[in-house]
Amino acid sequence: MPGSRRPRSDPGQRSRGSGRSKPTAPATADRARALALTPVSRETLERLDRFVALLLTWQQITNLVAPSTVLHLWTRHIADSLQLLELVPGAQIWVDLGTGGGFPGLAVACALAQKPGAHVHLIESNNKKAAFLREAQRVAAAPATVHATRIEDFVTSFEGRADVVTARAVAPLKSLLDQCFPLLGKSGAVGLFPKGRHAELELREARESAAMQGWTMAATLVPSRIEPAGHIVVIRDVERRNIRP
């Protein structure tokens, strides 16, 4: 059936046909700006280029990222994801909740590919996006596993350890932390959550919710290097208080 065909996954195909996937001058400039903000090795850049080429191909039929951000994909999505790495330089095992088009989880996995023992768990309940992530992981040869399940189901069933838990543009911070407190508390992981101009308000609401549920945490706001008005919410030392009956 014509409508069931999967997009071509070979990055080498992107310049054929209509040429809609060819890099434009603004896109090329955006790539250079992103790499200046978050420099990577040649090997990592090759992986990211393959990932981005595949994403642009799939984007033509599946909404992986907001169309308005495509021309700024490298700064808006790639660099915004890679900036998380410097906050947890020794981390090996990452869990990315609601990965969507691959951010930040798959971009981080590309950067960690040469780090022994590194692995990223990509949690995505949308089957189309999960299919894309599997293909992107293969094409980029990134150390990642795709889990096509809901966040709450993964959090309750995951038995491994995690050094970092991330989520980007998935849900308000309060709702997100309500779901992943057990994972953060069990693993002793650091939570990294990029947020926009309302990060301080979201953090205040999340702290109130945590206190009501008996969770304690240390939280800070780190200015984003990519988005002037944005911050990264850093959550550490999540613990459940012993509440007397």
Side-chain angles (χ1 to χ4, degrees):
M1 294 178 62
S4 63
R5 294 182 62 186
R6 178 177 293 186
R8 292 175 177 175
S9 60
D10 181 1
Q13 300 288 340
R14 65 186 184 276
S15 62
R16 299 179 185 176
S18 66
R20 285 180 297 174
S21 297
K22 288 183 179 179
T24 63
T28 300
D30 181 64
R31 178 178 180 273
R33 178 172 177 265
L35 294 175
L37 289 167
T38 52
V40 297
S41 68
R42 178 178 58 83
E43 292 80 7
T44 294
L45 181 55
E46 290 174 353
R47 295 177 195 277
L48 290 171
D49 277 334
R50 295 197 296 270
F51 166 35
V52 169
L54 183 72
L55 186 150
L56 292 175
T57 300
W58 279 63
Q59 178 73 12
Q60 296 176 33
I61 64 169
T62 301
N63 193 36
L64 298 171
V65 297
S68 62
T69 67
V70 169
L71 284 180
H72 305 286
L73 190 148
W74 278 87
T75 51
R76 180 67 182 85
H77 298 295
I78 298 290
D80 192 48
S81 299
L82 295 180
Q83 69 173 328
L84 301 181
L85 288 161
E86 66 182 29
L87 298 176
V88 282
Q92 289 184 305
I93 309 300
W94 294 58
V95 172
D96 185 38
L97 306 174
T99 304
F103 308 107
L106 193 55
V108 167
C110 288
L112 293 177
Q114 293 177 287
K115 184 174 183 177
H119 199 82
V120 182
H121 296 276
L122 310 176
I123 320 306
E124 177 52 56
S125 62
N126 182 290
N127 288 328
K128 287 185 178 180
K129 291 179 180 179
F132 162 75
L133 291 171
R134 291 190 185 97
E135 183 67 0
Q137 180 276 327
R138 184 190 69 80
V139 167
T145 300
V146 180
H147 303 264
T149 187
R150 298 185 304 171
I151 291 174
E152 53 268 37
D153 292 335
F154 178 85
V155 167
T156 56
S157 63
F158 183 63
E159 297 182 351
R161 74 175 179 90
D163 299 318
V164 184
V165 176
T166 61
R168 178 178 178 269
V170 177
L173 185 63
K174 173 185 174 299
S175 300
L176 190 59
L177 289 181
D178 286 350
Q179 290 179 309
C180 70
F181 271 137
L183 178 59
L184 289 167
K186 178 181 70 174
S187 302
V190 177
L192 301 179
F193 309 103
K195 288 291 178 180
R197 65 180 69 249
H198 301 299
E200 188 172 356
L201 174 60
E202 287 197 49
L203 179 54
R204 184 163 63 247
E205 293 175 345
R207 280 179 167 144
E208 292 172 356
S209 177
M212 291 178 63
Q213 297 181 65
W215 291 99
T216 62
M217 63 182 184
T220 56
L221 293 176
V222 176
S224 170
R225 293 170 53 192
I226 313 303
E227 184 180 352
H231 288 81
I232 302 162
V233 181
V234 182
I235 305 293
R236 300 179 185 272
D237 304 324
V238 173
E239 294 182 352
R240 189 71 181 263
R241 291 199 307 264
N242 291 324
I243 302 176
R244 295 179 180 178

